[in-house]
Amino acid sequence: MNKNLVQPVILCGGIGSRLWPLSRTSYPKQFLSLNQNSNNTFLQETYQRLVGIDGLIQPIIVCNEMHRFIVAEQLREKDIKKSTIFLEPEGRNTAPAVLIAALKAIEKGDDPNLLVLSADHLIKDIPKFQNVIKYGLKYSLEGKLVTFGVYPNKPEIGYGYIKVDSQIDNEDIQAFSISSFVEKPDLETAKTFVSSQNYFWNSGIFLFKASAIINEMKTLCPEIYKFCLETYKYCTKDLDFLRLDKKYFSNCPNISIDKAVMEKTNLGIVISMNVGWSDVGNWSSLWQESRKDNDGNILIGKVINKSVSNSYIMSNHRLVVGLGLEDLVIIETNDAVLVANKEKSQDIKGIVSFLQEKKFTEGDTHKKVFRPWGSYLSIAEDEGWQVKRINVNPGASLSLQRHKFRTEHWIVVSGTAKVELEGGERLLRENESTFIPLGFKHRLSNPGEYPLILIEVQSGSYLGEDDIERFEDKYGRSKL
């Protein structure tokens, strides 16, 4: 048994609603690329920054089942092979996710060091980060449960805190015993934490032996252990994914690893991690962590500004003009525009909740929706009709399906389309079209080496995405 294996456990279940309208339930922030120094998404960057650590093995990913194909595609883009991807039927916080990953890690007799990471953090100093992890391994090998803390440089109400006791050693990288974990404080309390110098920001990064966290869960949280064991026992393979059993997983307590274990264990220590860490929890923190021009602005996309300072302005489609502005966040997408004072960034989560309560689709979904075969973009719609731009990846195909309430007209813009219709097949090329009558079985495929782009015009009494009856699907989908 190799005791020095490092098994990344990357948690991908968050929504990142404070980065709305860019981050939404259908495509949350961990799948976005917002780092000025890299084209990688947060998820890709989370694994890439580990490359070079001795004993590193392929990651275990835990994500919501609705994001499974996004995760798989982003791993494929970086040639991250043989990873394990667990699909959660619903979010139950971090404790069940970590325990299930640990059970998987020991399945073949190994006992690796689990490096638990959120998929949406920013870390600037990668070499120093790897040194901190290497330093933490010596404690993990001793059976300690290691968490990593960041010295606060300002009072931050968006982070949890860790109060520390005595320093354990005198190395350059400091390790401390833990006094307590503290929930996100109000501003005045956060100020006292910063001035006391006995508090760290809780980074949410952990390191421990798989057996150590399993044993502590079994002792401290027997209910979680019981239901996670049953969940893992009855998980099923679904293509390249492991689907967690919904019946047992829904019974798992909804609790963080901090509350379930770290606040109770006698094995916990905190190691200082000053590596330029941020969880990029809102637009203000992203502004703080990004390069700015001489006026303190971050301007992305089609933006013109005059007399603008200390602002974050992003255009994804239309021209955005700023005049005489200060301390603002302006984010333009194809279906929503956010204009907010930077200091109110924490409050955006409440706006998203309001949108969801009032059934605004913009609260959860983008106009562009990703599917395992590619994506579609809603261009225009009205009662009884809808127009979409369909992009099918090379070699990909939609399911064999039919609709009860709508007809479809397809016009190829570029590429080659293979159309199956009621048992027959034909190829369509640029500027050619076809019609899919109501109730006809059909399938669209891209047999070419380049993306297939077509315009789809839907007509009917109901145009919802749940009007799909599938007969065959290469991605294992029985329903959306």
Side-chain angles (χ1 to χ4, degrees):
M1 181 190 298
N2 187 344
K3 296 182 179 180
N4 296 314
L5 295 176
V6 178
Q7 172 82 76
V9 177
I10 302 177
L11 307 180
C12 282
I15 300 303
S17 57
R18 290 184 179 89
L19 286 175
W20 184 89
L22 217 54
S23 175
R24 307 189 195 182
T25 303
S26 65
Y27 205 83
K29 77 171 183 179
Q30 57 266 31
F31 307 123
L32 301 173
S33 177
L34 294 175
N35 185 352
Q36 291 175 320
N37 299 317
S38 171
N39 291 323
N40 291 336
T41 66
F42 280 111
L43 169 60
Q44 292 168 337
E45 198 66 31
T46 300
Y47 182 78
Q48 292 293 110
R49 70 171 62 104
L50 305 178
V51 175
I53 293 178
D54 291 340
L56 185 70
I57 57 179
Q58 295 296 348
I60 295 173
I61 314 288
V62 185
C63 70
N64 189 287
E65 62 181 1
M66 77 171 72
H67 302 137
R68 62 195 186 277
F69 296 114
I70 302 174
V71 170
E73 175 62 17
Q74 293 200 355
L75 296 180
R76 184 200 65 78
E77 288 176 355
K78 295 302 173 182
D79 200 29
I80 303 172
K81 300 176 180 178
K82 298 183 179 179
S83 57
T84 299
I85 305 175
F86 280 108
L87 305 181
E88 292 182 319
E90 59 181 288
R92 305 304 292 168
N93 218 311
T94 56
V98 170
L99 180 52
I100 286 169
L103 293 171
K104 176 64 176 177
I106 64 170
E107 185 178 51
K108 295 183 179 179
D110 289 321
D111 187 14
N113 301 277
L114 302 187
L115 179 58
V116 180
L117 306 148
S118 294
D120 55 0
H121 290 175
L122 175 67
I123 292 177
K124 294 181 179 179
D125 193 334
I126 305 305
K128 192 171 182 180
F129 172 71
Q130 293 193 359
N131 284 337
V132 170
I133 299 304
K134 181 180 179 180
Y135 179 77
L137 280 171
K138 76 174 185 176
Y139 289 104
S140 177
L141 291 169
E142 293 172 2
K144 297 294 186 181
L145 307 185
V146 181
T147 185
F148 297 90
V150 179
Y151 277 118
N153 55 20
K154 62 184 178 66
E156 173 60 64
I157 63 173
Y159 297 158
Y161 287 73
I162 306 171
K163 184 180 181 181
V164 300
D165 281 331
S166 57
Q167 187 171 337
I168 295 173
D169 56 30
N170 294 313
E171 302 288 338
D172 291 339
I173 302 172
Q174 297 171 322
F176 299 85
S177 58
I178 297 173
S179 172
S180 62
F181 285 75
V182 184
E183 292 290 337
K184 297 174 182 178
D186 58 34
L187 184 59
E188 290 305 313
T189 303
K191 288 179 180 178
T192 64
F193 288 171
V194 175
S195 62
S196 76
Q197 299 185 341
N198 290 326
Y199 289 83
F200 287 94
W201 286 333
N202 183 359
S203 72
I205 300 175
F206 303 92
L207 180 65
F208 32 64
K209 300 293 288 185
S211 59
I213 193 63
I214 291 172
N215 290 334
E216 284 297 272
M217 283 272 199
K218 189 174 183 179
T219 302
L220 301 174
C221 315
E223 187 179 15
I224 296 177
Y225 180 80
K226 171 188 174 182
F227 286 115
C228 283
L229 203 60
E230 294 295 323
T231 298
Y232 184 70
K233 179 180 177 181
Y234 291 104
C235 75
T236 55
K237 188 170 177 58
D238 181 357
L239 299 175
D240 294 329
F241 311 102
L242 288 175
R243 189 179 290 276
L244 298 179
D245 183 85
K246 185 174 183 178
K247 173 185 173 183
Y248 290 105
F249 191 69
S250 63
N251 288 322
C252 289
N254 187 351
I255 188 171
S256 69
I257 189 72
D258 307 73
K259 282 188 170 296
V261 176
M262 299 304 295
E263 292 184 3
K264 303 173 184 177
T265 184
N266 294 319
L267 301 176
I269 66 168
V270 60
I271 292 176
S272 61
M273 186 184 71
N274 300 303
V275 295
W277 170 91
S278 171
D279 79 343
V280 196
N282 56 60
W283 290 111
S284 179
S285 63
L286 184 59
W287 174 83
Q288 290 169 357
E289 299 297 335
S290 302
R291 293 191 310 273
K292 308 166 189 65
D293 63 20
N294 293 333
D295 296 314
N297 296 318
I298 298 163
L299 309 175
I300 300 172
K302 203 173 180 180
V303 177
I304 295 175
N305 71 300
K306 186 176 179 62
S307 300
V308 175
S309 63
N310 300 321
S311 295
Y312 193 113
I313 304 177
M314 173 186 288
S315 165
N316 288 280
H317 297 87
R318 292 161 289 186
L319 171 67
V320 175
V321 179
L323 178 62
L325 307 175
E326 184 177 1
D327 295 325
L328 290 186
V329 173
I330 302 174
I331 309 296
E332 179 272 341
T333 69
N334 58 12
D335 64 344
V337 178
L338 168 71
V339 181
N341 186 287
K342 287 208 313 292
E343 298 308 311
K344 294 294 184 180
S345 293
Q346 293 282 0
D347 299 338
I348 293 174
K349 184 176 182 179
I351 297 297
V352 174
S353 296
F354 176 81
L355 294 174
Q356 294 168 338
E357 179 185 338
K358 296 299 182 182
K359 308 297 183 184
F360 282 84
T361 57
E362 292 87 349
D364 287 315
T365 60
H366 289 277
K367 288 288 187 181
K368 185 175 184 179
V369 177
F370 290 84
R371 290 288 186 252
W373 43 262
S375 63
Y376 68 82
L377 175 67
S378 296
I379 298 174
E381 59 186 289
D382 206 335
E383 186 172 352
W385 63 268
Q386 183 171 210
V387 180
K388 294 181 177 179
R389 181 185 186 272
I390 310 290
N391 188 324
V392 185
N393 297 328
S397 64
L398 283 67
S399 58
L400 179 64
Q401 59 185 250
R402 70 182 175 194
H403 310 296
K404 295 181 180 179
F405 302 105
R406 72 173 185 248
T407 63
E408 295 175 340
H409 187 193
W410 295 341
I411 306 106
V412 176
V413 176
S414 65
T416 301
K418 185 173 84 169
V419 179
E420 300 173 50
L421 185 61
E422 285 293 309
E425 291 185 5
R426 62 177 293 201
L427 292 179
L428 296 180
R429 293 179 173 82
E430 190 172 321
N431 293 325
E432 295 181 335
S433 64
T434 192
F435 178 71
I436 311 298
L438 186 71
F440 276 43
K441 287 185 182 180
H442 61 280
R443 173 158 43 198
L444 174 67
S445 304
N446 179 1
E449 299 179 358
Y450 302 97
L452 163 65
I453 299 174
L454 56 83
I455 299 299
E456 176 182 85
V457 181
Q458 301 177 352
S459 300
S461 58
Y462 178 71
L463 305 176
E465 283 299 304
D466 53 349
D467 179 25
I468 297 177
E469 182 183 3
R470 289 196 174 97
F471 298 92
E472 297 174 10
D473 185 67
K474 65 188 292 185
Y475 309 107
R477 297 170 300 167
S478 58
K479 60 181 181 179
L480 287 175

